[in-house]
Amino acid sequence: MRNTILYLLLILTIVSCNQKQNKNAEISKNQNSKVQEIIPDSIRAKQISDLTFGMFICWSFSTFSGNEWTQNVSNPSYFKATACNTDQWCQTAKNAGMNYILFLTKHHDGFCLWDTKTTGLKVTNSPLGIDVLHELRKSCDKYGLKLALYFSEGDWSWLGRIGTQSGENPEIKKAQLKELCTNYGDIEFFWFDHATNDGGLSHEETTKWVHKFQPNCFIGYNHGAPSGRLCIRERGTPGSIGDSKASKYNKENESTYTNYLVAEFTYPILPAHKGGADWFYSLPIYDTLSLSAEKIHEDYLGAVKYGNIFSLNIGPNYEGNLREIDINALLKVGELITENTKR
């Protein structure tokens, strides 16, 4: 009888331990997959709108080609950056009164700025050899900034490309987005570039896929079929939602799509010039060109007025640093914002 009781106690102890282990495993699984409690649209839209002002970082093959689009490059060594100063980017953004970084994870050329498992065309295979997005995530946390991501839907490294239109590879697109959604913390919004098509996964399917991992993430597309809650105005201006005059490439969607809750506008800090790139670091001969702090501050005030978010684009140089002229302009913007809030 005594042996029977001892045997039953042993069985109960084992079952209890297994249940505890399973529960801990489930908690760990939830932590690793960053499961989010869904925030109501009205609250989440206010959180996104309150981001107001951020830095849009573009740094990739085009930094070194001197062209906006860099085609027919398949060797990651083409990315010749000698350093990566994410702390400088974030500290400058913070001093400028910015609240987030919007980071280009992959342009149309297919070069990934994170340590993806989907392709060898990635920054960790370049001479730089580090996961830039991982470093940026740490710097954002260090300086109290939120993180948003730009992602080119199409990819010229995929089979089936015709001219500048990408081939289709929906499974790789999904795999890359899953990596971005599950390995780098909370993403405030995705800025999807439709310039080379949707990569074989429709905008509605793309939105649902991202929300599977990060339901509170706002999603927008610069053109193509409308989807998501974020209105994207590439080279746009401040304005209320539905104001097609504020949009350059997304006019029809802006005037007809009814699910937008927040509008974002973006343009480069580099003024119009002949030759070179616009959104990336351009040729060294343009190192003396930058928009004035007054112009940037004026559009910042427009973003505040209409509840927009303003992503000012800046391209780090070959050494992974922001240009001095851009830093000085942004410091002045930060001063103007501080002065304005004191009035």
Side-chain angles (χ1 to χ4, degrees):
M1 181 68 177
R2 180 182 177 187
N3 289 341
T4 301
I5 293 173
L6 290 174
Y7 178 76
L8 289 175
L9 288 173
L10 177 62
I11 294 296
L12 289 172
T13 300
I14 292 172
V15 170
S16 176
C17 288
N18 285 339
Q19 288 177 339
K20 185 175 181 180
Q21 287 175 349
N22 290 337
K23 184 176 180 181
N24 288 340
E26 185 63 29
I27 291 173
S28 176
K29 178 182 176 183
N30 289 343
Q31 288 173 341
N32 291 335
S33 60
K34 300 294 182 183
V35 172
Q36 296 178 335
E37 180 180 350
I38 297 177
I39 301 172
D41 276 353
S42 59
I43 296 174
R44 186 59 181 148
K46 181 67 165 55
Q47 291 174 343
I48 295 293
S49 176
D50 286 347
L51 292 175
T52 309
F53 189 31
M55 182 183 292
F56 181 12
I57 292 285
C58 289
W59 197 44
S60 190
F61 281 168
S62 291
T63 303
F64 302 92
S65 72
N67 299 308
E68 200 63 54
W69 287 10
T70 303
Q71 304 185 50
N72 304 317
V73 176
S74 58
N75 190 334
S77 295
Y78 190 87
F79 187 74
K80 304 177 183 69
T82 57
C84 174
N85 200 345
T86 56
D87 271 359
Q88 184 217 37
W89 307 349
C90 290
Q91 185 175 33
T92 301
K94 193 70 174 180
N95 292 339
M98 294 173 164
N99 298 305
Y100 65 94
I101 299 289
L102 170 60
F103 181 67
L104 181 146
T105 58
K106 184 185 74 168
H107 203 225
H108 316 319
D109 47 58
F111 181 67
C112 297
L113 274 295
W114 78 98
D115 190 22
T116 180
K117 292 181 173 60
T118 64
T119 177
L121 193 60
K122 58 182 179 177
V123 69
T124 47
N125 286 340
S126 76
L128 185 63
I130 63 172
D131 185 331
V132 177
L133 182 55
H134 176 72
E135 294 304 309
L136 179 58
R137 173 83 264 180
K138 291 193 298 183
S139 294
C140 283
D141 293 343
K142 177 179 178 179
Y143 289 96
L145 299 171
K146 302 294 186 180
L147 179 64
L149 301 179
Y150 163 106
F151 183 88
S152 173
E153 297 189 87
D155 185 321
W156 291 329
S157 71
W158 296 342
L159 296 177
R161 172 187 171 187
I162 300 176
T164 59
Q165 290 300 292
S166 167
E168 295 187 350
N169 202 330
E171 292 309 311
I172 292 297
K173 179 181 176 182
K174 290 169 70 175
Q176 290 182 345
L177 290 174
K178 181 178 179 180
E179 288 178 343
L180 295 173
C181 287
T182 58
N183 295 334
Y184 298 94
D186 291 342
I187 308 303
E188 300 303 307
F189 63 89
F190 266 94
W191 201 111
F192 283 108
D193 194 336
H194 184 66
T196 63
N197 74 30
D198 62 17
L201 192 72
S202 74
H203 288 179
E204 195 60 33
E205 291 171 319
T206 300
T207 298
K208 289 179 180 178
W209 180 250
V210 171
H211 283 161
K212 179 179 179 179
F213 308 103
Q214 299 221 18
N216 296 318
C217 180
F218 265 41
I219 295 169
Y221 303 83
N222 58 346
H223 46 80
S227 181
R229 296 172 285 184
L230 182 65
C231 176
I232 298 292
R233 296 171 178 164
E234 181 181 353
R235 293 188 180 274
T237 59
S240 58
I241 294 176
D243 180 4
S244 62
K245 296 188 296 297
S247 188
K248 182 174 182 179
Y249 302 110
N250 208 27
K251 289 181 179 294
E252 183 177 351
N253 290 341
E254 176 120 17
S255 60
T256 60
Y257 183 66
T258 59
N259 289 335
Y260 290 138
L261 299 181
V262 179
E264 181 262 10
F265 66 93
T266 181
Y267 57 72
I269 197 170
L270 192 64
H273 56 283
K274 292 183 179 180
D278 292 334
W279 297 89
F280 297 86
Y281 175 79
S282 195
L283 304 172
I285 59 174
Y286 299 119
D287 279 350
T288 57
L289 294 181
S290 184
L291 291 177
S292 70
E294 289 73 21
K295 157 65 177 170
I296 298 167
H297 182 248
E298 179 183 358
D299 282 336
Y300 163 83
L301 293 177
V304 172
K305 176 180 179 180
Y306 292 106
N308 302 153
I309 51 177
F310 173 21
S311 305
L312 181 65
N313 164 251
I314 300 177
N317 62 17
Y318 309 144
E319 292 78 35
N321 292 315
L322 303 182
R323 303 183 307 163
E324 283 299 318
I325 191 171
D326 295 334
I327 293 174
N328 292 335
L330 289 174
L331 290 177
K332 178 62 175 176
V333 172
E335 293 172 1
L336 292 171
I337 291 173
T338 299
E339 291 173 8
N340 189 66
T341 57
K342 289 180 179 179
R343 292 175 185 171

